[in-house]
């Protein structure tokens, strides 16, 4: 049986039931909306080459996308720059936490687009003459990637804004280094609104699938991103997407992925599958415990690790 056949016939319910047995991890407490999350919520969704979306559990429950938005904002910034690389930003993993207040020492650039410093910058590089225009452009881009109309949770965005001191510190550092070309508050505003976009495991699965199929949304059939932009995006997800757990993740799971502190994980198995998971309890690195487990099992059971050479 080839991979696509295995995907079509895979018992998703069984995998969901076995991963649901894990009760490890703690919910994020950086904003009240996360602290109140039900730790039992667990949704899993996959979207395959034919655009078929299969899901189990709480896969249509919405939550803030948080850092899982970073690859997509990076992709939109690349599209708007008409490039597959940005001079303003590095592409090296940090081995540090997502909110580390650290820039490249010689250049003052953020180390990569998957940590907060990088995403603050990519959000400011998306086309638009104001925070509102950039936010609208991001929301419209994310909606095309997801194949459905997405919205911003204003309350989460406000909380994010209020609790963003470390992000403000990063903004000021980048502004003084000459890397950030908009006002710090404008960058924070666009970033906070991007993090506060409401998604579900199903939404993330389709967004992951759009990357997996080279920028063509398999559900709508629309080309949303150019192939070169997708290649760059998947590359930084593979090397930097799971923060200081990225090396272990690539070794173990072998799929580009990105997590967010509300408990979302988006993964993309190039040419085969988009995966979306939601479960709020996080490990010490800020990655959803069940999200990591579900991706590990899917990679093993379906043979999705990129470097499995059979
Ligand atoms: N809102 C969070 C922040 O900027 C996003 C972090 C995350 O999901 N890892 O701190």
């Amino acid at each position: 049986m080839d991979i696509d056949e295995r995907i079509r016939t895979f018992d998703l319910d069984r995998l969901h039931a076995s991963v649901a047995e894990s009760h490890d991890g703690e919910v994020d407490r950086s904003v009240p909306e996360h602290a109140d999350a039900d730790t039992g919520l667990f949704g899993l969704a996959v979207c395959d080459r034919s655009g078929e979306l299969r899901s189990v559990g709480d896969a249509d429950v919405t939550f803030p996308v948080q850092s899982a938005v970073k690859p997509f904002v990076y992709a939109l910034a690349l599209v708007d720059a008409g490039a597959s690389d940005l001079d303003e930003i590095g592409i090296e993993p940090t081995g540090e936490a997502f909110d580390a207040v650290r820039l490249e020492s010689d250049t003052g650039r953020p180390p990569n687009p998957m940590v907060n410093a990088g995403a603050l910058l990519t959000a400011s590089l998306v086309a638009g003459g104001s925070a509102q225009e950039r936010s609208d452009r991001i929301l419209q881009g994310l909606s095309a990637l997801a194949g459905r109309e997405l919205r911003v949770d204003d309350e989460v965005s406000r909380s994010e804004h209020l609790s963003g001191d470390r992000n403000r510190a990063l903004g000021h550092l980048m502004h003084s280094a000459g890397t950030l070309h908009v006002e710090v508050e404008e960058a924070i505003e666009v970033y906070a609104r991007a993090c506060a976009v409401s998604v579900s495991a199903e939404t993330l699965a389709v967004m992951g699938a759009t990357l997996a199929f080279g920028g063509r949304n398999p559900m709508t059939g629309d080309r949303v991103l150019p192939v070169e932009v997708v290649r760059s995006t998947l590359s930084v997800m593979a090397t930097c997407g799971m923060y200081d757990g990225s090396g272990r993740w690539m070794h173990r799971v072998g799929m580009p992925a990105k997590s967010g502190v509300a408990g979302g994980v988006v993964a993309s198995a190039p040419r085969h599958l988009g995966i979306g998971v939601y479960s709020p309890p996080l490990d010490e690195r800020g990655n959803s415990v069940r999200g990591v487990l579900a991706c590990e099992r899917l990679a093993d059971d379906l043979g999705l690790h990129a470097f499995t050479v059979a």
Side-chain angles (χ1 to χ4, degrees):
M1 223 196 290
D2 71 2
I3 290 192
D4 293 317
E5 183 62 26
R6 281 204 295 276
I7 287 172
R8 266 193 301 279
T9 54
F10 187 70
D11 189 345
L12 211 56
D13 296 289
R14 210 165 118 193
L15 184 138
H16 183 273
S18 91
V19 173
E21 283 169 16
S22 160
H23 295 284
D24 295 338
E26 300 280 334
V27 296
D28 171 62
R29 304 201 181 277
S30 65
V31 291
E33 292 79 2
H34 296 176
D36 295 341
D38 176 351
T39 56
L41 288 172
F42 176 30
L44 172 61
V46 296
C47 180
D48 69 14
R49 147 188 315 281
S50 66
E52 194 194 335
L53 184 61
R54 292 169 57 203
S55 57
V56 199
D58 306 300
D60 60 353
V61 172
T62 57
F63 58 92
V65 63
Q66 293 293 354
S67 284
V69 81
K70 288 171 177 164
F72 305 105
V73 173
Y74 175 55
L76 294 172
L78 288 175
V79 169
D80 290 346
S84 57
D85 195 11
L86 296 171
D87 293 338
E88 295 89 339
I89 190 160
I91 44 171
E92 296 299 335
T94 61
E96 289 183 300
F98 61 85
D99 59 352
V101 181
R102 173 87 71 93
L103 302 176
E104 284 181 356
S105 53
D106 46 345
T107 62
R109 303 186 314 170
N112 69 65
M114 300 294 111
V115 292
N116 287 10
L120 274 163
L121 190 62
T122 52
S124 78
L125 292 172
V126 169
S130 64
Q132 187 63 50
E133 280 180 25
R134 288 196 179 91
S135 290
D136 290 348
R137 155 96 180 110
I138 289 172
L139 197 58
Q140 166 244 315
L142 297 177
S143 299
L145 283 152
R148 63 178 83 179
E149 195 87 19
L150 299 178
R151 50 170 287 275
V152 175
D153 183 328
D154 290 319
E155 237 157 78
V156 172
S157 165
R158 252 192 307 277
S159 303
E160 199 66 47
H161 211 113
L162 292 174
S163 66
D165 284 344
R166 292 180 75 82
N167 291 334
R168 248 171 221 108
L170 283 164
H172 283 290
L173 280 178
M174 290 192 286
H175 202 265
S176 76
T179 348
L180 183 67
H181 293 293
V182 302
E183 289 309 315
V184 173
E185 278 312 311
E186 185 176 332
I188 297 280
E189 164 115 30
V190 180
Y191 171 78
R193 287 182 68 77
C195 286
V197 171
S198 287
V199 294
S200 63
E202 289 181 347
T203 319
L204 289 180
V206 180
M207 294 170 86
T210 302
L211 295 179
F213 298 106
R216 197 187 61 85
N217 182 325
M219 221 168 67
T220 62
D222 295 340
R223 168 150 302 280
V224 184
L225 296 171
V227 170
E228 299 73 29
V229 164
V230 172
R231 188 179 62 190
S232 299
T233 306
L234 289 172
S235 302
V236 284
M237 286 168 80
T239 49
C240 314
M242 302 301 269
Y243 314 121
D244 40 345
S246 295
R248 186 190 165 277
W249 173 271
M250 200 54 198
H251 187 271
R252 176 73 182 82
V253 184
M255 280 189 279
K258 186 75 201 78
S259 58
V261 286
V265 178
V266 56
S268 187
R271 298 182 195 81
H272 299 297
L273 198 66
I275 301 168
V277 194
Y278 173 51
S279 171
L282 309 177
D283 62 21
E284 63 284 356
R285 299 189 163 98
N287 296 325
S288 164
V289 173
R290 291 195 190 110
V292 169
L293 269 178
C295 290
E296 282 181 357
R297 304 252 171 104
L298 278 169
D300 286 348
D301 294 354
L302 294 169
L304 296 174
H305 193 301
F307 305 131
T308 301
V309 185

